[in-house]
Amino acid sequence: MQRKNFTEVTEFVFLGFSSFGKHQITLFVVFLTVYVLTLAASSETVYTLVIVPRMLSSLIFHNQPISLAGCATQMFFFVILATNNCFLLTAMGYDRYVAISRPLRYTVIMSKGLCAQLVCGSFGTGLAMAVLHVTAMFNLPFCGIVVDHFFCDIYPVMKLSCTDTTINEIINYGVSSFVIFVPIGLIFISYVLIISSILKIASSEGWKKTFATCASHLTVVIVHYGCASIAYLKPKSESSLEKDLLLSMT
C-alpha cells in the first residue's frame, strides 16, 4: 500500500498544564522546589534533567515548540533512564535481601564487580528499549503538532500520527509489561525472602532495624511501579489528560 502525501511536521507544541489555568504559577513554584531538592539529594538527577527544566519553562512561557529531533532525543533518554530506574530498583531489592539475610557475607556477595554488572545490565536494557521505541515511533508520519502533555511521552506523541499505530501500541504494551512486571516479580521474590529472614529475628530491635533498612526502598517501589502501571498499561478508554499529567509528574 502506498503511503499518502502528508504535510511534513518538523516540530511539536506541548499543551502541558494549560488546562490548569491560573494555577500554573503555583505548579511552577511547587515543581521547582521539588526539582531543586531532587538535584540536591537524589540519584534521579539525569532522569529529571531530561524533562523538568523544559516543563518549568513551559509553565511561564507558553506554547514553546520542540523540534522533531529534540522530541526524539527527549523520548530516547526518558525511556533509557526510566527503564534503568526500574531495574536499578530491582538490584536494590536484591541488595536489601543480601544485607538482611547474609550480613556477614554482604561485602563478598555484593562485590564491586557484581554492582558494576547490575548497573551495566540496567543501562543496557534501557538502551535496547529506547532504541526499539524511538525507532518505531519516529518512522511514523505525523499530522498533528500539539502534544497533550508536558514532555514527549510515548502515547501523546503516538496520537499525532496520521497512520494506524497498532504495531506501536503492541510494542509499547510489550516493552511496558517487560519493564514493569519482570522487576516487580524479582522484587517480590526478594521481599518474600526478606520476610522469611525477618521472621527468624527474635528481638524487636532487630525488627525495627530491618524495617528501617527496607522502608524507603519499598515506598519508592510502590510509587514508581504503581504510577507506571496505571500510566502505561491502562486501556485507552480510561485515559484522562489531568490524571495522565499528574501520574507522570509523580
Side-chain angles (χ1 to χ4, degrees):
M1 183 182 294
Q2 292 185 342
R3 181 178 286 186
K4 296 179 180 179
N5 291 325
F6 298 109
T7 303
E8 185 179 356
V9 171
T10 59
E11 62 182 29
F12 294 122
V13 175
F14 294 121
L15 190 60
F17 291 89
S18 59
S19 61
F20 287 76
K22 63 182 180 181
H23 299 295
Q24 289 187 75
I25 298 299
T26 303
L27 290 174
F28 173 82
V29 173
V30 172
F31 294 156
L32 177 61
T33 302
V34 174
Y35 183 50
V36 170
L37 292 173
T38 300
L39 291 176
S42 172
S43 63
E44 304 277 353
T45 301
V46 181
Y47 182 50
T48 55
L49 189 63
V50 173
I51 296 169
V52 179
R54 189 176 186 91
M55 181 204 72
L56 291 171
S57 176
S58 68
L59 286 168
I60 302 298
F61 308 104
H62 307 298
N63 298 325
Q64 286 184 314
I66 184 171
S67 67
L68 204 63
C71 185
T73 302
Q74 188 183 55
M75 185 182 292
F76 180 78
F77 282 105
F78 165 70
V79 175
I80 283 183
L81 297 167
T83 304
N84 184 55
N85 268 9
C86 287
F87 284 93
L88 283 180
L89 285 172
T90 307
M92 290 167 67
Y94 177 69
D95 175 80
R96 295 303 82 204
Y97 159 69
V98 175
I100 293 166
S101 302
R102 303 285 189 273
L104 299 179
R105 301 193 64 233
Y106 176 80
T107 53
V108 176
I109 297 173
M110 295 302 296
S111 63
K112 290 183 179 180
L114 178 60
C115 290
Q117 289 175 18
L118 291 171
V119 170
C120 291
S122 298
F123 185 82
T125 304
L127 179 61
M129 298 299 103
V131 170
L132 177 62
H133 257 312
V134 173
T135 301
M137 181 70 69
F138 287 90
N139 272 325
L140 294 172
F142 296 102
C143 294
I145 64 169
V146 179
V147 181
D148 286 345
H149 217 290
F150 56 85
F151 73 101
C152 285
D153 202 357
I154 296 160
Y155 275 130
V157 174
M158 195 187 300
K159 289 178 182 178
L160 304 180
S161 175
C162 307
T163 59
D164 180 54
T165 58
T166 302
I167 298 298
N168 295 78
E169 289 170 22
I170 292 172
I171 290 173
N172 180 65
Y173 273 112
V175 169
S176 298
S177 298
F178 173 76
V179 168
I180 292 171
F181 290 131
V182 170
I184 284 178
L186 294 173
I187 291 171
F188 178 77
I189 292 171
S190 295
Y191 273 96
V192 167
L193 296 173
I194 287 171
I195 291 170
S196 177
S197 299
I198 290 175
L199 294 176
K200 298 175 184 177
I201 299 174
S203 67
S204 60
E205 189 64 30
W207 279 62
K208 290 178 182 178
K209 185 177 180 180
T210 302
F211 178 77
T213 301
C214 298
S216 58
H217 175 252
L218 195 56
T219 301
V220 173
V221 165
I222 291 170
V223 173
H224 183 83
Y225 289 108
C227 290
S229 298
I230 297 170
Y232 295 102
L233 296 176
K234 69 179 184 300
K236 277 185 175 181
S237 57
E238 296 182 11
S239 181
S240 165
L241 176 58
E242 286 78 10
K243 288 180 181 178
D244 289 347
L245 289 171
L246 294 175
L247 278 171
S248 295
M249 196 61 238
T250 304

